[in-house]
Amino acid sequence: MIRCCCQIIARLLDALTGIIIPGVSTQKIDEFADDFIRSCGAVPSFKGYCIPGLLPYPAAICTSVNSGIVHGIPNVCTILNEGDIIGIDVGVMKNGYHGDAARTYAVGAISDAARRLLNVTQESLRLGISQAMQGMRVGDISHAIGTYVMANGYYVADNLTGHGVGRSLHEEPVIPNMGLPGKGPRLQAGMTLAIEPMVNIGTNRVREDGWEYFSADGSLSAHYEHTILVTEAEPLILSIA
Ligand code: MF3
Ligand code: CO
């Protein structure tokens, strides 16, 4: 089920720590991920994924470097350099269910500014998840993420959201990364949600280029995502090993 998909993703994201080093191409990372997912008897959810107006998504994972926010397409020309950051987003399907998770990695040693962005984005995800209990509302998750990001002087990327996940990769509800507490759909035990803050250093505005989203000012952007299960008590993070 979903937990099984998420466990594959968690193990893959852990394994990628050893692959993401200066000199590697995003294409190589994609090949590693594609092989890993298939060796687990699963398939990459993103490959062939369609949205109106674009060709089907061509790769197993998304690789978004530096000012890349999400949906970067792996390719042979993008070679990682020391000091880069790279968001890796993975969807896995097995037995008719999907899981979805992402992390942003440091390539070698990174600047203090980049490290702080990663820390704040990761903490905003933790705070968002902590609101995801039965009886709370989607707006409580959104508000927890957005207020923490803004309090740290950063920006939530416009119009990019989390989502329900299950039989389909993207399901109801939409989970914005800023919002009002006490508003939006009520959370029920048993719901599985992909919560995913996308945070820019310099602006909320985004630039789109085909599939790919970038911060409009070229500033660094980070992305962390977990698939979680809503319960009557603490949420269960499915995408950790
Ligand atoms: N995790 C991504 C999201 O929720 C999935 C991207 S689908 C892709 O938006 F096909 F673009 F990779
Ligand atoms: Co997602």
Side-chain angles (χ1 to χ4, degrees):
M1 4 167 270
I2 299 184
R3 186 191 302 262
C4 170
C5 301
C6 292
Q7 287 297 303
I8 295 168
I9 299 173
R11 287 192 285 116
L12 169 57
L13 290 174
D14 284 347
L16 284 177
T17 310
I19 307 294
I20 295 173
I21 53 172
V24 74
S25 69
T26 52
Q27 177 83 25
K28 272 272 172 273
I29 302 169
D30 186 66
E31 286 166 12
F32 180 91
D34 202 334
D35 290 347
F36 187 103
I37 292 165
R38 292 180 199 281
S39 76
C40 297
V43 295
S45 305
F46 300 170
K47 195 166 269 185
Y49 189 86
C50 290
I51 55 178
L54 293 175
L55 291 170
Y57 190 77
I61 61 172
C62 303
T63 53
S64 305
V65 179
N66 293 333
S67 66
I69 306 171
V70 282
H71 301 175
I73 299 177
N75 62 87
V76 288
C77 298
T78 304
I79 310 285
L80 299 182
N81 292 305
E82 177 101 13
D84 287 343
I85 60 171
I86 179 172
I88 306 273
D89 192 346
V90 184
V92 157
M93 204 239 325
K94 190 168 177 173
N95 300 328
Y97 287 95
H98 296 265
D100 190 1
R103 261 183 227 174
T104 303
Y105 297 77
V107 183
I110 58 171
S111 68
D112 291 348
R115 176 61 59 191
R116 181 172 178 272
L117 174 68
L118 302 196
N119 291 342
V120 168
T121 308
Q122 193 170 14
E123 176 65 6
S124 76
L125 173 58
R126 195 189 67 76
L127 291 168
I129 290 171
S130 73
Q131 298 294 310
M133 284 175 293
Q134 166 149 295
M136 304 292 280
R137 292 182 185 262
V138 167
D140 296 314
I141 300 173
S142 308
H143 181 255
I145 294 170
T147 52
Y148 184 75
V149 167
M150 286 184 285
N152 280 281
Y154 295 145
Y155 300 85
V156 163
D158 283 344
N159 300 322
L160 291 163
T161 66
H163 50 90
V165 57
R167 286 260 176 211
S168 304
L169 179 62
H170 293 128
E171 298 184 350
E172 293 294 300
V174 167
I175 307 176
N177 289 313
M178 49 197 305
L180 297 174
K183 300 288 183 192
R186 207 176 273 287
L187 303 177
Q188 308 281 357
M191 292 174 101
T192 43
L193 306 176
I195 302 177
E196 48 178 322
M198 289 152 271
V199 176
N200 301 340
I201 287 185
T203 181
N204 54 297
R205 288 177 306 111
V206 307
R207 176 172 68 80
E208 279 183 66
D209 182 5
W211 277 100
E212 313 199 355
Y213 287 83
F214 299 87
S215 65
D217 63 351
S219 63
L220 293 178
S221 182
H223 177 213
Y224 286 82
E225 175 177 24
H226 274 307
T227 295
I228 63 115
L229 173 66
V230 177
T231 74
E232 284 159 20
E234 292 295 295
L236 226 63
I237 301 177
L238 301 180
S239 48
I240 44 182

